Amino acid sequence: MGSYDVSDESPERRFRTLFISDVHLGARGSQADLLLDFLRYHDAETIYLVGDIVDGWALKSSWHWPQSHNDLVQKLLRKARKGAKVIYIPGNHDEFLRNYYGTHFGGIDVVENTVHTGVDGKRYLVIHGDIFDLVVQNARWLAHLGDKAYDFAIQMNRFVNFFRRMFKVPYWSLSQWAKQKVKNAVNYIGAFEQALAAEARRHDADGVICGHIHYAVIRDEAGIRYMNCGDWVESCTALVEHDDGHFEIITWADQAQKPAAVPQVAARAA
């Protein structure tokens, strides 16, 4: 597939619902330019921003706000002005917005969490997920340390893949490889999914939609549909709901502007 020949005003694909999380605007690892490109070709009636859209942690330590980050904010505001329902659920990196639950700015509603009703009437709890991360809740210094380590892995990952592209070798994820080698990381992902599934059950929901760990997946967990949006730092994934009600993870894999199969992306407790 080549690049799509569509205008910015007429996206190629429209969905009932679009879920985006973990963009980390303000962090050097954010691939805001790819998300901006994705949003030029995709639209939805309802857009959920499932936390960590802005990275307040990164901005506190070092100001980084290139034009692409500003353009992305303007793109989301423009979609809201044109009639899309946009709901923002803050995460731990944009926790400063948690002081503004119930407010409405620029066409965007800020809420703690919400329930999305699918075409078939099934109910899905939409929540960032960090409140179920014991590292973030009980050892914030360790979470910040892990955040720096992840950023370093992303920078190394880009360095390695620069040379891989030169030799026309497929993309390889350093952080993914490292996580797959660490048993505790696999156990962490499983525990996180189980905790979110239990929370959905507590809300009498049929499923849960979240972000936080940068691990895009759709799976059933003890009778609950667990769906994670992934991120826009490494995997560049979004969760979409089609008009017929089925959910799909789309990976905006590269600059060629084409969807690809979702990879097994590395988890990040951040």
Side-chain angles (χ1 to χ4, degrees), residues 129 132-136 179 183-194 212-213 267-270:
F132 300 95
D133 184 340
L134 293 178
V135 173
V136 171
K179 292 292 185 180
K183 183 179 179 180
N184 286 342
V186 176
N187 292 340
Y188 167 80
I189 295 169
F192 182 83
E193 293 174 353
Q194 292 169 15
H212 185 56
I213 62 171
R268 178 197 192 187

Side-chain angles (χ1 to χ4, degrees), residues 72-180:
L72 178 58
V73 172
Q74 293 301 319
K75 166 62 81 174
L76 291 169
L77 291 171
R78 189 157 58 249
K79 284 186 178 294
R81 287 198 302 270
K82 290 184 176 180
K85 183 178 181 181
V86 183
I87 302 170
Y88 195 141
I89 300 159
N92 51 304
H93 280 255
D94 45 16
E95 61 189 351
F96 59 90
L97 288 172
R98 288 175 170 169
N99 296 320
Y100 300 96
Y101 289 150
T103 62
H104 180 89
F105 64 92
I108 299 176
D109 294 309
V110 181
V111 300
E112 181 176 6
N113 59 62
T114 189
V115 172
H116 172 75
T117 303
V119 173
D120 57 3
K122 289 186 176 180
R123 302 169 71 250
Y124 299 91
L125 174 66
V126 187
I127 187 170
H128 181 63
D130 62 289
I131 62 172
F132 300 95
D133 184 340
L134 293 178
V135 173
V136 171
Q137 293 302 310
N138 299 321
R140 288 181 65 88
W141 67 270
L142 186 58
H144 281 274
L145 181 62
D147 192 58
K148 295 297 183 183
Y150 182 83
D151 289 342
F152 176 75
I154 291 298
Q155 294 301 321
M156 289 298 298
N157 200 60
R158 291 179 175 178
F159 179 75
V160 170
N161 280 287
F162 171 78
F163 289 100
R164 290 177 69 88
R165 285 194 299 272
M166 288 180 60
F167 293 99
K168 298 183 179 180
V169 179
Y171 176 85
W172 177 77
S173 173
L174 171 63
S175 56
Q176 173 193 351
W177 174 84
K179 292 292 185 180
Q180 290 176 342

Side-chain angles (χ1 to χ4, degrees), residues 239-259:
L239 175 70
V240 300
E241 180 191 20
H242 293 265
D243 287 335
D244 64 4
H246 85 272
F247 289 86
E248 175 190 4
I249 290 173
I250 295 178
T251 301
W252 204 241
D254 52 35
Q255 298 286 357
Q257 300 176 345
K258 60 182 180 180

Side-chain angles (χ1 to χ4, degrees), residues 217-233:
V217 70
I218 299 175
R219 77 159 109 254
D220 290 326
E221 176 64 46
I224 296 293
R225 175 57 59 91
Y226 170 90
M227 294 182 279
N228 195 301
C229 310
D231 70 284
W232 288 86
V233 176

